Amino acid sequence: MPTYQVSVKWGKEKFENLEVDTDELPELFKAQLFALTNVAPERQKIMLKGSVLKDDGWSNMKLKNGCMLMMMGTVGELPQAPKEKVVFMEDMSDSQLAATLKLPTGLANLGNTCYMNATVQCLCTVPELNEGLEK
């Protein structure tokens, strides 16, 4: 198979007159792109009009001189999963929520006292009022 001169578009950048030898494995071409972009070869996805370059060879790519390949991939490592499982407020029990927010879990409703309970709970979060009551 012959050697082709191609261009590669990666994001806003364009690399022209890159040499592709289809007798070589795609790893060599990906290493050349790594030298230009710092995108690791295992993170590169190279496409030409709907076909994706496979690691086993160039057989599925219909290359021509001057054709434009598109590369997708990012520099650096993929984000790591958090070490501790994230727990959202909606998933916490009342006691977990109170411990996290350092607030009491609430007041018992004694009939028609829900509005008064809500008002007392709001006043409880005012630091100046808490300091005044403690004195």
Side-chain angles (χ1 to χ4, degrees), residues 53-104:
L53 177 62
K54 308 259 190 237
D55 289 335
D56 58 354
W58 293 91
S59 59
N60 65 327
M61 303 289 275
K62 295 182 169 83
L63 293 176
K64 296 178 185 172
N65 275 324
C67 68
M68 175 70 70
L69 298 173
M70 187 171 113
M71 183 179 90
M72 293 175 58
T74 56
V75 178
E77 295 182 15
L78 291 173
Q80 300 296 319
K83 290 183 174 40
E84 295 180 22
K85 184 178 182 257
V86 177
V87 179
F88 295 99
M89 288 179 65
E90 295 84 13
D91 300 330
M92 290 182 176
S93 67
D94 287 341
S95 60
Q96 289 174 320
L97 194 58
T100 302
L101 298 176
K102 295 184 174 81
L103 294 174

Side-chain angles (χ1 to χ4, degrees), residues 5-69:
Q5 295 289 324
V6 299
S7 298
V8 175
K9 186 172 188 316
W10 174 59
K12 294 179 182 178
E13 296 186 50
K14 187 175 177 183
F15 305 99
E16 300 196 18
N17 298 323
L18 299 176
E19 192 171 292
V20 174
D21 185 357
T22 52
D23 289 333
E24 300 286 337
L25 286 175
E27 291 173 355
L28 186 65
F29 182 66
K30 287 185 173 187
Q32 186 179 2
L33 290 174
F34 173 63
L36 294 170
T37 62
N38 287 331
V39 177
E42 62 271 6
R43 307 230 14 225
Q44 295 176 9
K45 184 175 183 181
I46 301 169
M47 297 172 284
L48 173 66
K49 295 184 181 177
S51 60
V52 179
L53 177 62
K54 308 259 190 237
D55 289 335
D56 58 354
W58 293 91
S59 59
N60 65 327
M61 303 289 275
K62 295 182 169 83
L63 293 176
K64 296 178 185 172
N65 275 324
C67 68
M68 175 70 70
L69 298 173

